[in-house]
Amino acid sequence: MRLHRLALTAFGPFGATQEVDFDALSSAGLFLLHGPTGAGKTSVLDAVCYALYGAVPGARQSPGATLRSDHAPADLPTEVLLELTVGGRRLEITRSPAQPRPKRRGDGFTQEKAQSRLRERGPEGGWKALSKSHQEIGEELVQLIGMSRDQFCQVVLLPQGDFARFLRADAEARGKLLGRLFDTRRFAAVEERLAELRRGAEARVKAGDEEILALAQRIAQAGGPAAVEAPQPTVRAGEPGLAEVVLEWAALARSAARERLGIAGAAVAAAEDRRLVAARTLEAERELARLQERYAETLRRAEELEARRPEHEACQERLERARTADRVAPALELCEEAEREYRAASDALARARAPLPPELSDAGADRLAELERRFRQELYALEAARAAEERSARIDEERDLLDREARADEELIRDADAWLADWDTTRTALKARIDAAQEAATRAEQLAGLLAPARRRLDAARRRDALATDVRQAERQLTAAREQAVATREFWLELKERRLRGIAAELAAALVAGEPCTVCGSAEHPAPASPGDGHVDRATEERALTAQRSAEEARARAEQQLGLVRERYAAAETEALGEQPGSAAGTPTVDGLRTLVDRLTDEHAEAHRLAAATNPAREALTAAEREHAGRLAQRQEAGERIAARTAAREALDSDQARLAEQIAAARGESPSVAAHAERLTRRVALLAGAAEAVRAEQDADRRRKEADGRLSDAAFRAGFDTPRAAAATLLDAAAQRDLQHRVDAWQAEAAAVADRRAE
């Protein structure tokens, strides 16, 4: 992202229009914004942030704060224009906050809504408008920049309060602050993830070792005595070298098991040889017994077959007669079928003659066909009259339809007139809904800008109250540390003074006869000093000095801890106060800030709920306008249809009068032409059916006589005296198969007995 130009009008401390040419400033690579306090350095950065995100950095967007300059003329609107290149696109952003402006008519001020505009410079150099929506512009810029407002303020615009705290903090506090600014929590998460992976790998290694030990136990169980000869490994799961130890033990157990397997295999082979000899002896004895039993069984079956021979011969004779009678079966079936057809044709003829008049009860097929042709010609003559009658009925339906359509159009005109009478009131109400929703959207944006700082102030007030207890505790700890430091220092000084008073005795203790004194150099020591009561040696003094230094370090740490806690308390109190000019009125309480946050939250929710009705209200207005145009068109079309329908009704009345004369002449005594035609149609159908039934009965009688002759001839050629005798000898396929099976079974069994006796 590269900034090109920034124009500020009535923004912050700038009462007029100020322009910053970033291209000229950045021509040397780097540039510096400097000046005295209040010159507007921070306001330039705030303007950049406001142009990009529609809000200034968090601490300066406090509730009640305004971005408009107090030095600007009343008729000069506040505006920020930023020209930049981001994502390869040259953009121009213009934003104006919600601000009061003088009324165009009369005195006083009116609240101007916040406005935003986004333009893009094309390849030819011209500017193209992209959007005027706060939400669309915000989403477009966040997507191009790749950072939200909070991330932009943390990484690009380091807040001044956080920078000052960073300079004064110790190493631990700096680390925490840098972690919050640059979001280094992901590195801690990576460290935790690596530790978790290490623990998981360790668990998997132990699980694998336990599986190896379980396999060793299974090897020991399967090896039996061979595995007992090699002592099992005593290593535990997780210890290094477990797999090698288990593999070595398994190799020893496998060798022992193979040796025992060879010995057992030799014993099994010898036993198998003995078993084979015994099995061959047993098989020979069993074969002899089987042959003796088979010979006795063959003799018994031969006697049984001889006893069943008469039955076999009777079955064979009956089967041969049934096969001879099969040659008569087709003629017999044909005769039965012809008899059934004749009876069915006779019954159908009786049913067909029943509805006929008595004079036609014995009429032949020719007489019935002649009457059918005469009535059918009369029926053909009624076709034109039937068409006229159907057309008359359709005319009645068309007239009814015209009447219903006329009533519907009249009702539609009445509904349209009633709806159009309220059109002005409806349109005014819908426009009022749209205006109210737009005002609520502006109010929701303003409340959103006030709600976030209020929540931060509430959190800061809670931290401030919690830190007040820490400050008091740190003060008590500092007082105790100071008292301890003073006491240890006095004790050390007292011990040092006592040691100095007895230093001669300490030096005399180091004298050796014949060696020079370290003080006077004499080799004689006639009267060396001796230690008195309460003598303090060097080690005691050094221990007291060490205790005094530890107490001083504890005091210094307590002072540092108190300073840090006080600094946190001051920062929380400053953040809780905010940057409102009226903050000197008193320290805000948690309850007061909670009440403020709740009130702003409720107002924001209500404004957001009302603003959400913008699109539905616009859609309702659009729908109402479409309905207004539609009802006008429907009313005009209904009037045109009513006029056309009157002419159509007159033409239908004329056609129906002409058709009524034709229908009256054709229907005769029947109530309608259709009824007369239906009666003729029934007569034609009865006559046609009766004629067909007569012909069918005659054909069936002829086929019956022919079938009787064929049956008698077939029975005589097959050797039967009468057709009835042939029918009595017939057997169905299942019975023949049963007889054939019985004959085949006896013959097969006789052949098997003969083969056994031959063996």
Side-chain angles (χ1 to χ4, degrees), residues 192-206:
E192 178 63 24
R193 177 59 179 166
L194 291 176
E196 182 180 352
L197 292 176
R198 178 185 59 79
R199 291 191 294 270
E202 183 179 358
R204 289 194 296 274
V205 169
K206 288 185 177 180

Side-chain angles (χ1 to χ4, degrees), residues 338-652:
E339 184 65 27
R340 286 194 297 271
E341 291 179 358
Y342 175 74
R343 287 196 296 270
S346 298
D347 295 340
L349 177 60
R351 290 193 298 271
R353 288 184 183 276
L356 296 178
E359 62 272 13
L360 298 178
S361 59
D362 295 329
D366 296 337
R367 172 62 176 165
L368 295 174
E370 177 65 24
L371 292 175
E372 176 194 355
R373 285 193 296 273
R374 190 178 66 182
F375 284 124
R376 193 178 296 277
Q377 290 174 358
E378 185 178 354
L379 181 62
Y380 291 156
L382 292 177
E383 290 297 328
R386 291 177 64 182
E389 188 176 46
E390 293 175 357
R391 174 58 183 162
S392 177
R394 287 197 299 271
I395 289 176
D396 292 336
E397 295 176 356
E398 291 176 4
R399 291 178 62 182
D400 294 340
L401 178 61
L402 290 176
D403 293 339
R404 290 195 300 272
E405 291 177 350
R407 290 193 295 271
D409 286 339
E410 292 172 357
E411 182 65 24
L412 188 148
I413 292 174
R414 287 195 296 272
D415 292 343
D417 292 339
W419 191 90
L420 292 172
D422 298 333
W423 166 240
D424 294 335
T425 304
T426 303
R427 181 173 56 185
T428 303
L430 291 174
K431 289 184 176 179
R433 283 177 57 192
I434 295 175
D435 295 339
Q438 291 177 345
E439 292 178 0
T442 303
R443 177 62 178 164
E445 292 181 359
Q446 295 174 352
L447 291 173
L450 298 176
L451 183 58
R455 288 174 175 169
R456 288 193 292 272
R457 290 181 63 197
L458 175 59
D459 295 337
R462 290 170 175 166
R463 292 197 306 273
R464 177 202 63 196
D465 294 347
L467 288 171
T469 304
D470 297 342
V471 169
R472 290 191 294 271
Q473 183 177 0
E475 289 176 349
R476 289 195 297 270
Q477 292 177 354
L478 178 59
T479 301
R482 286 174 176 173
E483 293 176 355
Q484 180 67 20
V486 170
T488 54
R489 181 173 180 80
E490 291 177 354
F491 181 68
W492 170 64
L493 292 175
E494 180 184 356
L495 291 179
K496 185 175 183 180
E497 183 179 359
R498 288 168 57 187
R499 183 189 174 200
L500 291 175
R501 287 198 300 268
I503 194 64
E506 183 176 344
L507 293 174
L511 294 176
V512 178
E515 295 182 1
C517 177
T518 58
V519 178
C520 62
S522 174
E524 296 180 0
H525 315 295
S530 59
D533 297 336
H535 175 69
V536 177
D537 56 6
R538 182 176 181 178
T540 303
E541 180 189 358
E542 289 179 353
R543 286 195 298 272
L545 178 60
T546 302
Q548 189 268 338
R549 289 175 179 173
S550 300
E552 286 293 333
E553 293 176 357
R555 179 190 60 78
R557 288 195 299 272
E559 290 179 350
Q560 184 181 7
Q561 181 66 21
L562 177 60
L564 180 60
V565 174
R566 284 178 174 173
E567 181 182 352
R568 293 176 179 173
Y569 177 80
E573 186 174 18
T574 302
E575 188 174 356
L577 287 172
E579 296 183 358
Q580 295 181 351
S583 60
T587 302
T589 63
V590 173
D591 294 337
L593 291 175
R594 186 186 299 110
T595 302
L596 175 62
V597 169
D598 294 341
R599 179 176 60 80
L600 291 176
T601 301
D602 295 339
E603 293 178 358
H604 178 266
E606 180 63 21
H608 189 272
R609 184 186 64 80
L610 295 176
T614 303
N615 290 334
R618 289 176 177 172
E619 293 175 358
L621 178 58
T622 303
E625 290 175 348
R626 286 198 301 268
E627 186 174 0
H628 176 260
R631 286 185 179 267
L632 288 176
Q634 290 175 359
R635 189 179 187 283
Q636 182 178 0
E637 293 173 358
E640 294 174 355
R641 288 195 300 270
I642 289 174
R645 201 175 287 116
T646 301
R649 185 183 291 106
E650 292 176 356
L652 292 176

Side-chain angles (χ1 to χ4, degrees), residues 224-282:
V228 176
E229 295 177 359
Q232 295 187 13
T234 58
V235 292
R236 292 180 297 178
E239 295 182 1
L242 182 141
E244 290 77 5
V245 173
V246 173
L247 286 174
E248 182 179 358
W249 172 82
L252 294 175
R254 184 172 60 252
S255 299
R258 282 180 178 175
E259 182 179 357
R260 289 181 174 271
L261 178 63
I263 296 172
V268 169
E272 183 66 20
D273 293 339
R274 293 192 299 271
R275 186 189 66 80
L276 290 175
V277 173
R280 284 194 292 269
T281 304
L282 177 61

Side-chain angles (χ1 to χ4, degrees), residues 667-685:
R667 69 186 181 184
E669 299 177 356
S670 299
S672 64
V673 175
H676 186 54
E678 183 179 0
R679 185 175 63 181
L680 290 177
T681 301
R682 288 197 300 269
R683 288 181 179 179
V684 168

Side-chain angles (χ1 to χ4, degrees), residues 42 52 74 110 117 285 335-336 345 353 453 494 531 549 563 577 588 656 660 679 687:
T42 304
L52 294 175
T110 182
R117 296 186 298 276
E285 295 296 332
C335 184
E336 292 176 352
R353 288 184 183 276
E494 180 184 356
R549 289 175 179 173
L577 287 172
Q656 193 169 32
R679 185 175 63 181
L687 291 172

